[in-house]
């Protein structure tokens, strides 16, 4: 369905849109959502890898039309123990509306489609965790090439004009990461795009550095 990033022993950060219910009379049932942590192959899941949701916090100003404030926190049913296969991602150290910088190369990981399902309806989800390199793109007049972006302070684009690589369906909520000063930082959250790896239509990501206060206000240790 989507991805996420472990940022504290009981907390995962992800995108709000896949957890959002537009029908107040039919809210999403969090008891049906199964979270898998500490694997790179979906065939290797054991009971120890499975977690459920204790509490869900969607940003109160999430806009399903523009995807502004596309961020959510999941509190897990139990504490995650770090190991060789499970590590937490650091948050950016300061609130900023211009971080990550343009032309910075980031790494995206996720379980989404490797072929655009709009182009090939037979596209299957991979069983192995995928990763790709994506450069941060400049925004001019709310455009990244031909991709519209509503709120550059809270959103940014990453990808290639020629559609070389991209995130795709089922990558929503997955992390965009930067290795800096000997640690990995969560700088972006997969939010939306038009198709996958389309020419002049890069993906759009939630700018994590714009939400540090919102995140820290909701994490309880």
């Amino acid at each position: 369905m989507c991805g996420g990033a472990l940022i504290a022993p009981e907390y995962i950060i992800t995108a709000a849109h896949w957890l959002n219910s537009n029908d107040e009379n039919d809210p999403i049932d969090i008891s049906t959502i199964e979270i898998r942590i500490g694997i790179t192959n979906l065939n290797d899941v054991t009971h120890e890898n499975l977690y459920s949701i204790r509490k869900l916090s969607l940003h109160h100003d999430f806009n399903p039309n523009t995807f502004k404030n596309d961020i959510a926190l999941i509190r897990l049913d139990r504490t995650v123990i770090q190991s060789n296969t499970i590590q937490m991602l650091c948050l950016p150290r300061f609130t900023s509306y211009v971080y990550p910088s343009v032309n910075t190369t980031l790494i995206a990981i996720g379980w989404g489609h490797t072929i655009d399902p709009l182009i090939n309806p037979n596209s299957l989800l991979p069983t192995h965790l995928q990763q790709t390199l994506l450069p941060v793109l400049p925004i001019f007049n709310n455009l990244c090439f031909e991709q519209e972006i509503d709120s550059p302070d809270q959103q940014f684009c990453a990808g290639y004009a020629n559609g070389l690589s991209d995130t795709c369906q089922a990558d929503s909520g997955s992390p965009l990461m930067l290795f800096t000063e000997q640690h990995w930082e969560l700088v972006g959250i997969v939010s939306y795009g038009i198709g996958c790896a389309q020419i002049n239509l890069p993906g759009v990501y939630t700018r994590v550095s714009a939400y540090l206060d919102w995140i820290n206000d909701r994490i309880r240790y």
Side-chain angles (χ1 to χ4, degrees):
M1 293 175 65
C2 73
L6 188 71
I7 60 167
E10 291 184 14
Y11 288 88
I12 285 175
I13 195 167
T14 186
H17 71 261
W18 74 273
L19 292 161
N20 182 59
S21 173
N22 293 323
D23 186 352
E24 295 182 357
N25 296 317
D26 186 24
I28 189 167
D29 183 359
I30 61 174
S31 68
T32 64
I33 298 175
E34 183 180 86
I35 297 172
R36 306 171 186 185
I37 297 177
I39 56 172
T40 58
N41 184 337
L42 292 178
N43 295 323
D44 293 339
V45 177
T46 67
H47 178 73
E48 293 180 350
N49 301 118
L50 299 180
Y51 294 75
S52 57
I53 297 177
R54 174 178 172 183
K55 182 180 180 181
L56 177 63
S57 299
L58 273 64
H59 196 287
H60 59 283
D61 283 332
F62 167 63
N63 187 324
N65 297 313
T66 65
F67 285 78
K68 182 179 178 179
N69 301 316
D70 191 9
I71 187 170
L73 270 178
I74 290 172
R75 186 170 188 181
L76 299 167
D77 63 319
R78 65 189 190 277
T79 298
V80 178
I81 306 300
Q82 294 190 87
S83 66
N84 291 334
T85 58
I86 300 175
Q87 293 288 317
M88 291 186 294
L89 273 177
C90 298
L91 293 172
R93 291 177 297 171
F94 54 92
T95 298
S96 174
Y97 299 104
V98 292
Y99 185 78
S101 303
V102 172
N103 295 326
T104 302
T105 298
L106 308 178
I107 292 182
I109 62 172
W111 303 92
H113 287 270
T114 56
I115 300 174
D116 190 340
L118 297 178
I119 295 175
N120 182 355
N122 296 319
S123 174
L124 299 176
L125 292 171
T127 57
H128 288 79
L129 186 64
Q130 305 292 306
Q131 79 171 38
T132 190
L133 300 176
L134 298 172
V136 180
L137 299 172
I139 302 171
F140 298 107
N141 297 321
N142 290 64
L143 289 173
C144 296
F145 300 123
E146 296 176 9
Q147 174 64 68
E148 293 186 19
I149 183 168
D150 180 75
S151 303
D153 284 350
Q154 289 84 24
Q155 299 166 301
F156 68 95
C157 302
Y160 302 88
N162 63 1
L164 175 66
S165 187
D166 196 5
T167 49
C168 199
Q169 273 84 352
D171 280 322
S172 292
S174 296
L176 224 58
M177 305 177 296
L178 171 65
F179 190 72
T180 178
E181 299 181 1
Q182 302 304 307
H183 69 271
W184 287 99
E185 283 186 2
L186 173 66
V187 296
I189 301 170
V190 178
S191 183
Y192 73 94
I194 299 175
C196 310
Q198 299 297 305
I199 293 174
N200 290 329
L201 292 171
V204 180
Y205 301 85
T206 301
R207 193 185 298 274
V208 175
S209 61
Y211 293 95
L212 297 185
D213 290 343
W214 183 88
I215 295 168
N216 290 322
D217 285 347
R218 284 156 182 78
I219 290 182
R220 301 290 180 265
Y221 293 99

